[in-house]
Amino acid sequence: MTSSRRLLAGRYEVGEYIGQGGMSTVYKGLDTKLGRPVAIKIMKAALAVDSDFRERFRQEAHAASRMAHPSIVRVYDAGDELIQTGIEVQRLPFIVMEFVPGKNLKQVASEKPLSLEETTRVVEALLTALEYSHRAGIVHRDIKPANIMISEQGQVKVMDFGIARAASETSSTLQQTTSILGTAAYFSPEQAKGETVDTRTDLYSAGVVLYELLVGDVPFKGDTAVAVAYQHVSEKPPLPSSQKSDIPSAYDRVVMHALIKDKNRRFQTAAEFREALKQASEGVTPKLGKTTSDDEVLFTGGIDVSESEQALQRLTDSSTSVRSQPRPPVMWTWAAILTVMAVVGAVVFWITQLSAIDLTPQNTREIPDLSNVSQEVALDTLQQQNLVGIPIPQTDSEVPANMVISTDPAAGVIVETGQTVKLYVSSGPVEAVVPRIEGLPLKDATEELKNLGLQVGLTSTVDDPVVKGGSVISVNPAPGEKLPAGSSVDLVISSGKVTVPDVKGQSMAMAQTLLEPTRLLVEETPEPSCPQQANLPIINQSVVGQVEQFSTIQIYYCSG
């Protein structure tokens, strides 16, 4: 008896169950069109009945699909699955993502505490992903260990960009939001108060993650989401080193700065946060702003109200008593006359010097010509000009993938510093033909696929006697096939090794036949200590198992 396959959008086969959260159930799946494994998130029915959520979810999934970064889980597709429930048809939104073999950071940290070096590496990768997403104008809003994947090779990948926004903007209360997203332990103070959030919200949550990885627990805990949220707003967390004595003070400095309540005074960019963490890992205490308890608490502490009122009253009384003293009216008259003369003199001087003044605004920049420049170089160039680049993928059959087509505003336009500049970046043609890249080193093959608007999918390594180690043996789909822009091509890479079979006991002729496919240099070595036999059977060999390509192997036979 065979079970029927469950297909989404006629393309994605739903496989084994992986897990679930407050919003969705996750399955391993297969993209039957491209033959690649995927992860499929199917939203829960309770959320799916909200049409506002479904629309917001689609918008955010579409925005997230434009991000392509090694530290971000790719979003491939999104849609609705139609479910017949009685006489009604229900829509269940789903999202198709890159499948990352491995575990999330919450699982990894629960199995074994991370070392200081590993903690630094993971959080630096998280901040690199946030820097990329923030440049693209996307705020995650739900940074926590459960949304950070660690692959089997140790690569850090952040997932669920945009989904938290869909949830939070269709939830009216903190309790509703936390019931969907799962926890308030990583909320920023502005999230807890229901205020507008921006990129600095993600940096606060990243600070909570760093705290948890260092200490082994989150800074604030409580029986309810509201209790935890209150602590984020009104209480100062204990120093990490007070929880674990082996944490360097430089890390205390970084963590406490990341967890400042006022978002205008904590880290302003992911790059700034990452640089401070890098300095701490090198044993250097980063120079950051003041983070004392006087300005850590928004609602209580730091200022004695009664003392402030008394000081204000004393100042008022003093001012009143001074004003009540008699003064000669003539002194005020002369003071007014002198003040007017000084102002007139200053204006006259300014007019006479006007021609010598550079009237060019100092806070403006001219948009540089970035056409046919790589996306990375274009973003760096704009950053140096104090401008903010937002990459927007766009198919183009003329401009190679990852190269800038044009900008908005256009090159030559004068704008103010801090202005957002849209970078229209080529994602390659609408369709691309899989090139012949067999024999190319992996780096060159990746670059060639990238220039065509394609990307490397799954890579597997196999032994090969001829193809140089680290070079491509074969591709799937095959060369010549047409794929939509952005599709993945799986690669088989040469390990640079061959496996030597055990030929002991075989005749000389058979041993030569078995070893021939390995392309190794075979040396026949006589052994005079034993009597010669018919067919010269092999009594020993220098190696069995994996060796480097084109190595030498010695086989021994009796010659006495």
Side-chain angles (χ1 to χ4, degrees):
M1 179 177 177
T2 58
S3 59
S4 59
R5 296 187 306 167
R6 181 184 179 188
L7 282 180
L8 301 181
R11 172 175 179 176
Y12 303 106
E13 180 179 339
V14 180
E16 63 186 91
Y17 166 85
I18 296 177
Q20 66 176 344
M23 295 179 60
S24 62
T25 304
V26 188
Y27 300 90
K28 183 177 180 181
L30 176 68
D31 182 344
T32 58
K33 185 174 181 180
L34 297 179
R36 66 182 173 191
V38 293
I40 302 173
K41 274 197 170 183
I42 301 179
M43 297 299 110
K44 292 188 174 178
L47 290 171
V49 297
D50 187 337
S51 60
D52 290 339
F53 172 80
R54 291 201 308 268
E55 181 58 30
R56 171 64 67 183
F57 175 79
R58 274 192 292 269
Q59 293 174 2
E60 295 303 324
H62 178 70
S65 68
R66 297 200 299 266
M67 294 194 297
H69 190 275
S71 293
I72 295 177
V73 175
R74 287 294 307 273
V75 173
Y76 294 138
D77 199 359
D80 289 340
E81 181 184 20
L82 301 181
I83 302 293
Q84 188 76 37
T85 56
I87 60 174
E88 296 184 355
V89 175
Q90 185 179 12
R91 293 178 177 271
L92 289 183
F94 69 86
I95 185 169
V96 181
M97 306 181 301
E98 171 190 1
F99 177 71
V100 181
K103 300 177 181 177
N104 65 47
L105 182 58
K106 181 178 180 180
Q107 296 168 322
V108 172
S110 65
E111 293 173 1
K112 181 182 178 182
L114 274 64
S115 66
L116 195 62
E117 294 74 17
E118 186 66 7
T119 293
T120 303
R121 184 187 74 83
V122 169
V123 177
E124 283 184 342
L126 165 61
L127 293 170
T128 299
L130 291 177
E131 181 181 13
Y132 176 85
S133 72
H134 293 169
R135 280 182 172 179
I138 295 179
V139 181
H140 192 290
R141 296 173 178 235
D142 192 26
I143 292 296
K144 57 187 179 184
N147 282 336
I148 302 169
M149 291 297 297
I150 309 295
S151 73
E152 293 174 348
Q153 291 75 36
Q155 187 177 10
V156 179
K157 283 181 172 283
V158 185
M159 62 182 177
D160 283 0
F161 276 91
I163 295 181
R165 182 177 181 181
S168 59
E169 293 196 358
T170 52
S171 302
S172 58
T173 68
L174 175 67
Q175 292 287 17
Q176 286 177 321
T177 302
T178 51
S179 69
I180 296 172
L181 301 182
T183 178
Y186 306 91
F187 272 16
S188 66
E190 53 269 25
Q191 279 178 301
K193 294 188 291 180
E195 298 176 349
T196 303
V197 303
D198 57 24
T199 56
R200 294 167 293 185
T201 292
D202 287 345
L203 302 184
Y204 182 94
S205 300
V208 177
V209 172
L210 175 58
Y211 188 105
E212 183 178 12
L213 293 179
L214 290 171
V215 173
D217 206 351
V218 291
F220 301 121
K221 293 190 294 185
D223 295 333
T224 65
V226 173
V228 177
Y230 176 80
Q231 294 176 70
H232 279 294
V233 171
S234 63
E235 294 188 13
K236 183 179 178 182
L239 288 173
S241 61
S242 70
Q243 309 299 301
K244 286 185 68 177
S245 59
D246 58 345
I247 296 175
S249 60
Y251 280 81
D252 281 343
R253 188 73 169 148
V254 174
V255 170
M256 300 306 284
H257 193 75
L259 299 183
I260 291 178
K261 312 297 184 185
D262 183 357
K263 65 182 178 182
N264 294 312
R265 296 184 51 255
R266 72 176 76 118
F267 291 113
Q268 299 296 293
T269 66
E272 180 187 354
F273 192 164
R274 189 178 62 246
E275 178 59 29
L277 182 58
K278 180 172 181 266
Q279 291 179 11
S281 69
E282 295 170 349
V284 178
T285 301
K287 296 180 179 178
L288 302 171
K290 181 182 177 184
T291 57
T292 64
S293 58
D294 287 350
D295 43 37
E296 275 296 278
V297 179
L298 297 186
F299 290 165
T300 61
I303 298 176
D304 187 324
V305 178
S306 60
E307 289 183 5
S308 299
E309 290 177 347
Q310 294 170 9
L312 180 60
Q313 184 63 43
R314 286 196 299 270
L315 180 60
T316 304
D317 294 342
S318 174
S319 300
T320 303
S321 64
V322 171
R323 284 196 300 270
S324 65
Q325 294 176 7
R327 286 183 173 83
V330 67
M331 187 180 75
W332 288 104
T333 303
W334 279 108
I337 293 172
L338 291 173
T339 300
V340 171
M341 291 176 63
V343 171
V344 171
V347 171
V348 171
F349 177 79
W350 178 78
I351 292 174
T352 58
Q353 298 296 319
L354 189 61
S355 59
I357 297 176
D358 182 7
L359 296 179
T360 304
Q362 298 301 308
N363 60 342
T364 59
R365 296 289 185 272
E366 179 179 335
I367 302 292
D369 184 2
L370 300 173
S371 55
N372 288 311
V373 171
S374 72
Q375 175 180 311
E376 292 76 15
V377 172
L379 288 171
D380 287 342
T381 302
L382 292 175
Q383 189 175 27
Q384 292 170 9
Q385 296 286 329
N386 288 327
L387 300 172
V388 180
I390 304 296
I392 300 175
Q394 183 173 302
T395 57
D396 193 291
S397 57
E398 304 268 338
V399 180
N402 200 49
M403 306 298 281
V404 176
I405 303 170
S406 61
T407 61
D408 181 18
V413 174
I414 304 297
V415 297
E416 293 184 357
T417 55
Q419 170 82 31
T420 297
V421 180
K422 295 180 180 177
L423 292 173
Y424 293 99
V425 181
S426 173
S427 59
V430 177
E431 280 191 333
V433 177
V434 178
R436 292 198 170 276
I437 53 178
E438 296 92 334
L440 289 181
L442 178 58
K443 181 180 178 182
D444 296 344
T446 302
E447 188 66 28
E448 186 157 342
L449 290 173
K450 186 178 177 182
N451 290 338
L452 292 172
L454 301 174
Q455 59 182 342
V456 175
L458 295 176
T459 60
S460 55
T461 303
V462 299
D463 295 344
D464 190 277
V466 176
V467 179
K468 186 178 178 182
S471 297
V472 177
I473 298 174
S474 62
V475 299
N476 182 37
E481 288 197 31
K482 291 185 178 180
L483 298 176
S487 298
S488 296
V489 178
D490 297 338
L491 306 179
V492 177
I493 309 298
S494 171
S495 66
K497 299 179 182 294
V498 293
T499 300
V500 180
D502 189 346
V503 297
K504 293 190 291 292
Q506 302 288 346
S507 67
M508 178 66 73
M510 179 57 71
Q512 292 283 11
T513 301
L514 293 174
L515 292 171
E516 184 177 1
T518 66
R519 303 292 181 91
L520 299 173
L521 177 61
V522 179
E523 291 184 353
E524 302 170 4
T525 305
E527 175 53 61
S529 64
C530 59
Q532 182 174 325
Q533 302 176 41
N535 297 324
L536 300 179
I538 306 303
I539 61 169
N540 203 357
Q541 61 190 90
S542 59
V543 65
V544 175
Q546 279 195 328
V547 296
E548 299 293 330
Q549 293 169 321
F550 312 115
S551 299
T552 298
I553 178 175
Q554 294 167 324
I555 55 177
Y556 300 88
Y557 63 94
C558 291
S559 62

